[in-house]
Amino acid sequence: MEKVTDVVVVRGEAELFERTKHLFAAATEVSCAARDLHTWSVAHPTAPEREQAVRATAVRKVYQPGVLLDPTLAGHLRFMADHGARIRITERDINETILLDRRIAIVAGDRVGGVRSYTVVSSPELIQGIQSLYEAVWASAIDLESYQARFTELGAREILEQLAAGCKDETAARALGVSLRTYRRRVAELMEILGASSRFQAGARAREAGLL
């Protein structure tokens, strides 16, 4: 563990949990930004404990759209929303961060040698800047229910299956019962959601996420 004034760096989820579990237990307001639900898995208790924690805490979470591709992850988001968490989806790039009571920030770093580092910040000046970035993302994000409706309409999983099978656009459009123009538009939207610049890259990212 390295400490420089009010900035602490911990390495690995086990150390993060050991060093911060008392902060999570005492928090009354939690704001989280993540690309998926695995980044902060160390802070996810079992289902009964999670339900109780959400009810007792003001929780805001913002994720990128990829979480909706996995039914298990999407179900987890729905569970949290049903028990009081405010959840939004953003297509913007985000810094994976947790803010506790607007006085502690935990920022996820890169994974090196299989171990990810996390920076715990308590400096009021730094917290203010991190909070401002979070609020900007939150304000532009779309609530889970609205985005999920759009995602379902898009038919994301079905499109990924067609792309993975190497089907031509005409064949895929017929299989999904949509026009060729609609299919190509939805493919373009899905690529944007995945942050992919090509269909090949979209497939690669879907495989990396275990969706194919």
Side-chain angles (χ1 to χ4, degrees), residues 23 26-27 99-105 121-124 127 131:
L23 299 175
L99 288 150
L100 304 175
D101 294 329
R102 299 174 181 260
R103 63 183 184 86
I104 299 291
V121 181
S122 58
S123 163
I127 293 295
Q131 186 78 47

Side-chain angles (χ1 to χ4, degrees), residues 78 86-89 138 141-149:
R78 190 72 265 161
R86 298 172 62 197
I87 298 176
R88 294 184 180 181
I89 304 296
W138 178 262
I142 301 172
D143 71 272
L144 175 64
E145 186 174 355
S146 298
Y147 202 98
Q148 206 158 24

